[in-house]
Amino acid sequence: MTSMFDEIRKDNARVVIFDTTLRDGEQSPGCSMNLEEKLKMAEILETMGVDVIEAGFPVASPGDFEAVNEIAKRAEKSVIAGLCRAVQKDIDAVVAAIKPAKRQRIHTFISTSPLHMKYKLQKEPHEVLEAIAWSVGYARKHCDDVEWSAEDGSRTELDFLCRAVETAINAGATTINIPDTVGYVVPSEYGALIKSLVDRVPNIGKAILSVHCHNDLGLAVANSLAGIEAGARQIECTINGIGERAGNAALEEVVMALRTRADRIPFTNRIDTTKITGASRTLAAITGMPVQHNKAIVGANAFAHESGIHQDGMLKNAQTYEIMTPESVGLNKSNLVLGKHSGRHAFKKKLEDLGYTLSDTDLDDAFARFKIVADRKKEIFDEDLVALVDDEAAHAHDNIKLITMSVWSSTKGPQRATLTLEIDGQQKSAEVDGNGAIDALFKAIAEIIPHPEAKLSLFNIQAITGGTDAQAEVTVRLEEDGKTVNGQGTDTDTLVASTRAYIHALNKLLVKRKKNRPEDITTTKNRIQSI
Ligand code: KIV
Ligand code: ZN
């Protein structure tokens, strides 16, 4: 297989899309994903044509290792990268985790700015240069594709950065990444920095230059594009721009800017842009990190035209107010598609149009759920179907399931909830008063499965479509021991959706507990068995 380096050398207009949703994105607060969720995202990224998937930081935890390893086993075309510091145990963990991948990359990094070297690393510059030479050399012994990153590169003294880059390339790095780790630079400055490296580093022709920009000043995408114009040929980015603090450059924005303004920024990439909306929606549903409505490309309003003047212009010629079509990002207008009389065949066909291929059993489950929703809701939109299928998939592995619930609610409190759950096949019920219906429901869950150390840190309700019969999509975040999990639930009844979301989060919390505190396995099991 041709290496990424050879591909770029053959075609100087080609830009490598390196997605770090599962590493830089996943490590940001509230964005943690479990194994199934990471596998699902990795599959989507590969299908949409991402060149390099940074699958995680294997040394960070056994869960991170397993996720990178499982993604590596499944990947067909994308290069699978794992991140590591400049230390042997980190590099060894990446080597082992990415081993099954057909195309592998080791991504090693160390800080190069005066501030980071002095305070974070407590190393002299010459020690950092030695660490670069050693780590890249060691990684190259195991893999032909090695990326080296200068953490806080944009705040590094230029002379030292040039020496560090030269050292990394001499040691065998095939990609050199210059992160704007703290999102500090402005486009002209970052472009000039990349250009200086192209002009001054004698062996720069032996590596691909890469940009990795954070969005603290809202400039991540602009900086990335400035870097490409100055000679970089790899962009590191994430779906929905998730990532540390204000996030990373958003993949969908970078790719659509390259596509829409190819006249000014004439570079190509392999991304199938029609997969963008699906990827964005799936990630938002998995993480519970909603996309702001006015977000470029994937926000709910990105293609909405509200004002009369704009609507009039659109009707006459869409180009009056639209610089790209909704279809180009995979957004199909909300059509009325199916109703309660629709059959399994039409349902299957519609799901295929929406990009879902389900096994027969999953299709049966989704169809049964569709019939329930169709009975309650007059109009079934594409968004309803997407939510329904995503919800089924999210809950497929739950050990704790909601069987029934009912709520007594009035202007005079307290409100009362009765709830029955199935835990590993056994049914348990509780009846509890609360300060509001949601409070009563969540307390009832806690009565059946006590989890006093977990705190509810987010409770978010969104209507999927318009109308009072719209399905509600609820996200619940639970925190315990500094770890967070998100749960999702969808239903036409907001209270049912909320309960499903809470139970989903609790399922994930118990799985996480087992992984992080193996000594708790018995405690958790006993607790559940003794209910
Ligand atoms: O922002 C950063 O500096 C990083 C590196 C570890 C690549 O994410
Ligand atoms: Zn970063």
Side-chain angles (χ1 to χ4, degrees), residues 376-495:
R376 290 196 217 147
K377 198 170 179 300
K378 275 197 301 234
E379 301 172 323
I380 304 286
F381 297 98
D382 288 358
E383 289 89 334
D384 289 310
L385 293 176
V386 169
L388 188 149
V389 177
D390 286 349
D391 187 79
E392 277 299 318
H395 290 264
H397 303 285
D398 285 358
N399 289 327
I400 308 165
K401 294 186 195 305
L402 173 65
I403 302 298
T404 56
M405 53 159 274
S406 55
V407 174
W408 186 84
S409 197
S410 77
T411 46
K412 283 192 198 140
Q415 283 71 27
R416 171 162 299 182
T418 56
L419 185 81
T420 301
L421 300 181
E422 186 183 281
I423 304 143
D424 291 331
Q426 240 191 311
Q427 292 201 1
K428 294 283 161 190
S429 302
E431 183 166 322
V432 174
D433 283 351
N435 187 13
I438 297 285
D439 186 50
L441 283 163
F442 290 2
K443 277 185 177 149
I445 298 171
E447 180 152 310
I448 299 175
I449 303 168
H451 48 284
E453 290 162 35
K455 297 272 164 293
L456 175 70
S457 61
L458 177 114
F459 176 56
N460 180 45
I461 305 179
Q462 265 186 311
I464 290 175
T465 54
T468 48
D469 64 351
Q471 290 198 85
E473 191 168 51
V474 178
T475 302
V476 159
R477 182 174 303 153
L478 294 176
E479 273 182 37
E480 188 183 82
D481 282 350
K483 304 265 178 243
T484 56
V485 287
N486 291 315
Q488 281 81 39
T490 316
D491 201 273
T492 44
D493 184 324
T494 309
L495 297 178

